[in-house]
Amino acid sequence: MDIAGIVKGHQTKSTAAGKMASRKGWKLSDSLQKKITEYAREDAAENVYMGKKFLSLRKSEVAKVAPDRAALMGKLNQDMADMKKIREADERWLCILFGEPYEAEFQSEGMGSAIHVYDGNGDEILTYTAGVGWHEKESKAETEVHGALKAAYYDAFRAARKEINSEVAGMKVQGGFDARA
């Protein structure tokens, strides 16, 4: 235990294997790209950006790389009644408590007690502070998946709107009718 009251510090794992483990092998597959394009076309036709179907798809895809925060919170909530036991925990006990690749940092002095939970890449994914409770933080893997999905959707939506607008312009020329007049 050091002077600041931090019992267990996290150690950042910067290996490529650690990064791949956190992403759980997620990639933007061709079938997923097709589904995003389909949803973007439907949304473009309805003049809605990021409709319910896409948002649901994005949520389910991000969940594939997200840590099981609920299980981590539940396990910690079970053991928080006996903080002395947690303060005395060694690295092996923490691995058993959280499972690989999670690590925790416990703060018990200073401005108040807090628990910080990190994933295998050293990203803080959960924080607990007395009086506030649990606060979830997005991991880098989750941010990457969000970004990839949003970029794919944006490109597909933009292409669909361009196609729709060119069809409308073509109808104006063919019919000789100018809607602006």
Side-chain angles (χ1 to χ4, degrees):
M1 180 182 237
D2 72 18
I3 295 174
I6 298 173
V7 177
K8 165 69 177 89
H10 81 283
Q11 298 175 358
T12 303
K13 297 175 183 161
S14 60
T15 64
K19 289 182 181 176
M20 285 307 293
S22 73
R23 294 186 68 195
K24 299 179 186 172
W26 187 91
K27 72 174 201 162
L28 184 59
S29 66
D30 291 341
S31 63
L32 184 57
Q33 178 69 46
K34 284 180 184 177
K35 193 176 283 190
I36 290 170
T37 300
E38 175 188 328
Y39 293 164
R41 285 179 181 275
E42 289 174 13
D43 292 346
E46 295 175 15
N47 208 22
V48 172
Y49 188 73
M50 291 192 185
K52 290 179 183 179
K53 286 182 180 179
F54 173 73
L55 293 176
S56 177
L57 173 72
R58 188 177 77 178
K59 184 177 181 179
S60 70
E61 288 299 313
V62 170
K64 292 176 182 177
V65 298
D68 190 351
R69 291 180 179 91
L72 292 169
M73 287 186 280
K75 190 68 174 160
L76 276 170
N77 285 336
Q78 263 180 347
D79 295 313
M80 281 172 49
D82 190 3
M83 283 302 282
K84 183 177 181 201
K85 182 193 279 186
I86 291 175
R87 282 190 204 107
E88 294 169 355
D90 63 6
E91 187 171 342
R92 176 181 286 165
W93 191 84
L94 288 170
C95 285
I96 292 170
L97 174 66
F98 296 120
E100 292 291 339
Y102 302 106
E103 295 186 13
E105 178 178 83
F106 300 91
Q107 242 172 282
S108 60
E109 295 175 10
M111 296 298 288
S113 60
I115 300 170
H116 305 276
V117 180
Y118 301 87
D119 69 7
N121 293 321
D123 299 332
E124 186 173 6
I125 57 169
L126 281 172
T127 302
Y128 178 86
T129 52
V132 176
W134 288 105
H135 178 71
E136 297 181 10
K137 298 181 179 183
E138 190 170 85
S139 69
K140 287 179 186 163
E142 290 169 293
T143 301
E144 288 174 13
V145 172
H146 272 294
L149 292 170
K150 288 193 281 189
Y153 181 90
Y154 174 78
D155 291 343
F157 184 86
R158 199 167 135 226
R161 288 301 302 162
K162 187 175 182 179
E163 185 179 310
I164 290 169
N165 289 338
S166 69
E167 287 174 5
V168 168
M171 287 176 17
K172 287 181 190 174
V173 171
Q174 286 178 358
F177 175 76
D178 187 356
R180 292 176 288 172

